[in-house]
Amino acid sequence: MTRTRYDRLYIGGAWTDPAGHESIQVRSASTEEDIGSVPLGDEADIDAAVDAARAAFDDPAGWARWSPERRAEVLERFAAELEARGEETARRVSAQNGMPIAVARRIEANAPTRLLRYYSKLVRETGIEECRPGAFGGATLVVREPVGVVGAIVPWNVPQGISFMKIAPALAAGCTMVLKPAPETVLDAFLVAEAAMAAGLPAGVLNIVPGGRELGAHLVARSGIDKVSFTGSTAAGRVIAETCGRLLRPVTLELGGKSAAVVLDDADLAANIEKFFAATLLNNGQICYLGTRILAPRSRYRSVVDTVTGLASSLVVGDALDPATQLGPLVSAPQRDRVESYIAKGLAEGNQLTAGGGRPADRDRGWFVEPTVFADVDPSHTIAQEEIFGPVLAVIPYADEAEAVAIANGTDYGLGGSVWSSDPERATAFARKVHSGSVGVNHYVNDLGAPFGGIKQSGIGREFGPEGIAAYQQPKSIYLDPSAATAH
Ligand code: NAD
């Protein structure tokens, strides 16, 4: 991979000299090679970016006042510019965070354009205001105004998809934004800046300042921000929520998970193994919604353990940029250490290791961990309760459906999950009992037209679908003159 270097930041619609002199060095997760650098954002850069976003939002003839159709035209051009950069986007993400290139092409090269087009169509078709007959006569004009300047903070695991879960609805609603990417995945964010400029996005509508958690904290608390949208760990979300609570600043939080993949006693897992893989181990286990707790009926426990063990042992582990790779490295050395510490805890707690547990013998560079399966796991054990964020599955036995529901719901999280059965109606009935923001039946794939988000410690608020744009709108009621002959 050729080395990519940027010396300036995208602020106020132009390439701008950074306030500081430090840079973020990016390394390949697969080879540990130096693959690029970008300026490390400074608090002064965040200040400049927020001021630019504020000026763009407050402009009386600007973005926020444009018709939804006019904004949609620009967002559709933005989508086309991103599409033209899709392959390079996939390659940069894959090299940085270890996402297998086949997955990056499907998700990271695709989701941004699909989200921009989805929300452009939504605002074109539904508009931003409606006139309602009054409950007691008269009529009310309900206007969904943009909430203002958004501070958006994203993690490294699906950097493009998650960024555009925020950018697309926020900009379609008429908001302006300062985006802070995670330091591990910055090279792809600069392609977004290039695409925004090529599409003619007006100055200040989107600004991108990369940096770490202190910079993120500065953005969250900065005056001039009207709304915060955060995706990341529950620990960071709690700190951000405290700040937003003090400031009475609206906040959307998409946080961690420890979802259950519930195998019912009539499931044919082997026939659905690719879908089961996508629901449990996609992106090397680095996705928040994955069902990393496999709940298996005691009546078929050994056969489920064998299937899951066989799946993990059969995966092609390799360089993320190799199209044959099914499981790449973890994003960084600290993340690999963290995952290995959980494997050590799993062993110390007496769980039975049936696959993996170490580093692949044929890889001496890169932050690899073997796909790992623990069996006979007690639901109270650490590896069954805490989010590991790596390719580590825990297979937990249950006696009957009532116990399966209790175990599935027996965590602090509630983000995703899946139910597997030969009888889709039975599985759907089970899914209704799972305390979670979303559950898949015989698969788990996000639907960008339907709300996604968490309950309990998995977050507050929803992204995707009409609910996703509502998070960036403030409804205002104008009670129309009762003496006017017709409604507005
Ligand atoms: P993280 O919380 O450490 O960092 C996420 C982002 O927040 C980064 O950009 C980081 O720089 C920034 N940040 C960290 N602390 C901050 C603070 N106090 N104030 C402001 N910004 C701060 O998480 P991570 O390790 O990068 O990502 C993995 C986590 O993200 C996992 O827990 C995973 O479940 C979660 N995640 C959740 C979803 C979801 O939709 N629910 C999606 C993807 C990832």
Side-chain angles (χ1 to χ4, degrees):
M1 180 132 183
T2 50
R3 195 173 185 284
T4 310
R5 177 178 158 165
Y6 291 89
D7 295 318
R8 290 186 292 171
L9 299 171
Y10 177 59
I11 295 175
W15 291 114
T16 308
D17 286 330
H21 300 290
E22 284 184 69
S23 57
I24 298 173
Q25 303 293 325
V26 187
R27 293 170 74 189
S28 155
S30 297
T31 65
E32 302 179 29
E33 277 167 323
D34 176 358
I35 53 170
S37 66
V38 305
L40 172 65
D42 183 280
E43 290 190 359
D45 297 315
I46 289 281
D47 293 345
V50 175
D51 292 346
R54 185 81 260 161
F57 185 81
D58 292 341
D59 179 351
W63 184 254
R65 311 288 172 303
W66 286 13
S67 70
E69 291 78 14
R70 192 171 168 201
R71 285 197 294 266
E73 273 171 30
V74 177
L75 296 180
E76 283 158 359
R77 286 206 303 272
F78 191 13
E81 293 294 341
L82 286 163
E83 198 163 52
R85 293 165 177 79
E87 175 61 16
E88 180 62 10
T89 298
R91 288 181 61 78
R92 289 190 189 184
V93 170
S94 181
Q96 292 171 113
N97 73 358
M99 179 184 290
I101 186 72
V103 179
R105 285 183 178 134
R106 220 168 56 235
I107 299 179
E108 292 287 86
N110 242 321
T113 55
R114 292 185 63 196
L115 280 159
L116 284 170
R117 287 174 180 148
Y118 172 81
Y119 281 109
S120 296
K121 185 163 178 281
L122 189 78
V123 290
R124 276 183 194 281
E125 288 176 357
T126 58
I128 52 165
E129 55 183 63
E130 63 181 287
C131 190
R132 296 184 193 170
F136 304 104
T140 299
L141 184 65
V142 179
V143 185
R144 291 188 293 276
E145 298 186 337
V147 75
V149 177
V150 178
I153 297 174
V154 294
W156 44 260
N157 64 326
V158 189
Q160 286 294 303
I162 293 173
S163 293
F164 278 87
M165 284 163 83
K166 304 180 189 312
I167 295 172
L171 268 50
C175 294
T176 61
M177 178 178 280
V178 177
L179 174 76
K180 190 204 78 64
E184 294 84 353
T185 42
V186 283
L187 299 177
D188 54 301
F190 281 72
L191 283 176
V192 173
E194 288 177 12
M197 289 177 90
L201 203 64
V205 168
L206 178 66
N207 310 270
I208 303 177
V209 184
R213 65 183 49 198
E214 291 76 17
L215 201 70
H218 183 68
L219 176 60
V220 169
R222 175 63 160 72
S223 63
I225 292 288
D226 298 306
K227 151 107 194 175
V228 173
S229 183
F230 173 75
T231 299
S233 62
T234 296
R238 203 183 301 282
V239 173
I240 289 168
E242 281 173 11
T243 304
C244 290
R246 180 167 48 78
L247 296 170
L248 287 181
R249 189 164 283 180
V251 59
T252 298
L253 300 167
E254 297 284 1
L255 309 176
K258 188 74 185 178
S259 302
V262 184
V263 182
L264 298 184
D265 56 13
D266 62 351
D268 186 353
L269 265 198
N272 285 302
I273 205 69
E274 284 179 22
K275 293 188 179 101
F276 189 77
F277 166 73
T280 56
L281 283 168
L282 197 69
N283 196 23
N284 324 326
Q286 300 177 137
I287 303 186
C288 50
Y289 61 65
L290 292 174
T292 51
R293 296 183 294 143
I294 318 289
L295 275 50
R298 285 198 188 278
S299 58
R300 292 187 49 202
Y301 188 69
R302 278 299 136 199
S303 101
V304 173
V305 170
D306 288 349
T307 305
V308 177
T309 303
L311 168 66
S313 310
S314 72
L315 294 172
V316 179
V317 179
D319 189 312
L321 284 168
D322 182 340
T325 291
Q326 292 171 297
L327 200 120
L330 299 177
V331 67
S332 61
Q335 184 65 12
R336 180 178 62 182
D337 293 348
R338 184 182 136 92
V339 171
E340 287 181 337
S341 77
Y342 275 110
I343 294 174
K345 270 187 206 148
L347 291 169
E349 284 176 329
N351 301 297
Q352 187 203 350
L353 186 68
T354 64
R359 299 180 183 180
D362 60 344
R363 300 263 137 205
D364 55 357
R365 309 290 306 274
W367 298 299
F368 290 89
V369 172
E370 289 176 320
T372 298
V373 179
F374 282 103
D376 301 325
V377 177
D378 187 282
S380 67
H381 283 177
T382 309
I383 59 163
Q385 286 294 329
E386 295 186 12
E387 183 179 54
I388 299 175
F389 228 56
V392 182
L393 301 179
V395 192
I396 303 170
Y398 69 83
D400 54 25
E401 279 196 28
E403 192 186 14
V405 171
I407 296 172
N409 295 339
T411 76
D412 292 336
Y413 295 109
L415 187 59
S418 54
V419 190
W420 304 81
S421 166
S422 301
D423 179 350
E425 278 182 29
R426 184 181 168 208
T428 305
F430 191 100
R432 291 178 188 276
K433 299 179 194 164
V434 177
H435 297 163
S436 177
S438 56
V439 188
V441 173
N442 290 327
H443 79 315
Y444 186 100
V445 178
N446 288 139
D447 170 6
L448 60 80
F452 170 78
I455 61 168
K456 301 196 272 185
Q457 303 210 356
S458 291
I460 298 173
R462 292 292 180 269
E463 297 189 301
F464 287 148
E467 292 81 0
I469 196 168
Y472 298 99
Q473 293 171 323
Q474 206 71 271
K476 178 161 97 188
S477 294
I478 301 176
Y479 309 124
L480 296 175
D481 182 347
S483 62
T486 49
H488 182 80

